[in-house]
Amino acid sequence: MELLDATDKRILELLQEDATLSVKAIAGTIGLTVSPTYDRISRLKKEGIVQKQVMLVSREKVGLNVSALCLINLKEHSSELARAFEESAGALREVTEISRLSGNFDYMLKVVMPDLAAYNSFLEQKLAPLPNIRQVQSCFEMKEVKRETALPLV
């Protein structure tokens, strides 16, 4: 994999801002013709730098008014059991992010729900029954101060 040059970074900035931009629009902005711009975007995808293109949806406008962070401690920490937990938790549609942590907790899950009753049902019926969970601590998002999906490509 080659290092990213300034043109690659500019393409990535543009795509992070608006993934629906056409190759022609990107080419015009960066000062290249369509063909080399297309080749660069294709390379960025092939190398896994661009993983996928998505639309960001307003959580609240689709009725997902509760956002919770679930801090998880496992009973046992073998690679096999950790992988099994990751697969099981990852299969839950309500879970939008999973991070393995250092420190006092093993995992952090971000979960979105319509309301607290739905979260309670999720916790009791889906999350807590997963094997190998010792403890779940829930923290509820009171106010989203910053939400940025674009990486700072300096």
Side-chain angles (χ1 to χ4, degrees):
M1 179 172 78
E2 299 176 29
L3 293 175
L4 298 176
D5 64 16
T7 303
D8 290 334
K9 289 179 182 178
R10 183 66 180 129
I11 290 169
L12 291 171
E13 287 174 344
L14 291 167
L15 288 172
Q16 287 185 111
E17 186 177 311
D18 183 357
T20 66
L21 286 175
S22 68
V23 175
K24 183 177 179 182
I26 294 169
T29 302
I30 64 172
L32 288 179
T33 60
V34 171
S35 184
T37 302
Y38 176 84
D39 291 344
R40 283 176 177 262
I41 294 170
S42 294
R43 180 180 51 80
L44 293 168
K45 289 178 179 179
K46 181 181 174 192
E47 291 178 356
I49 295 166
V50 173
Q51 295 177 337
K52 68 179 174 177
Q53 294 172 250
V54 299
M55 296 286 181
L56 299 179
V57 176
S58 169
R59 180 174 53 80
E60 294 85 359
K61 289 187 179 183
V62 296
L64 298 171
N65 299 308
V66 172
S67 176
L69 299 178
C70 301
L71 300 166
I72 309 284
N73 276 325
L74 300 180
K75 292 177 188 173
E76 297 180 42
H77 296 87
S78 71
S79 295
E80 182 180 313
L81 290 172
R83 192 170 24 260
F85 169 76
E86 291 169 6
E87 289 176 12
S88 297
L92 301 173
R93 289 183 47 96
E94 300 88 348
V95 176
T96 60
E97 297 177 32
I98 300 175
S99 298
R100 187 155 187 192
L101 305 175
S102 64
N104 295 331
F105 294 96
D106 298 316
Y107 288 92
M108 181 186 74
L109 281 58
K110 185 165 187 178
V111 178
V112 295
M113 297 284 157
D115 53 41
L116 288 175
Y119 178 77
N120 188 55
S121 294
F122 167 80
L123 184 60
E124 290 177 351
Q125 297 172 15
K126 294 184 178 181
L127 186 59
L130 292 181
N132 199 31
I133 291 182
R134 176 187 314 268
Q135 175 189 12
V136 177
Q137 181 175 326
S138 301
C139 300
F140 295 95
E141 181 180 279
M142 303 299 291
K143 175 184 175 184
E144 186 173 82
V145 177
K146 181 178 180 180
R147 180 180 182 214
E148 183 62 56
T149 60
L151 299 175
L153 303 172
V154 179

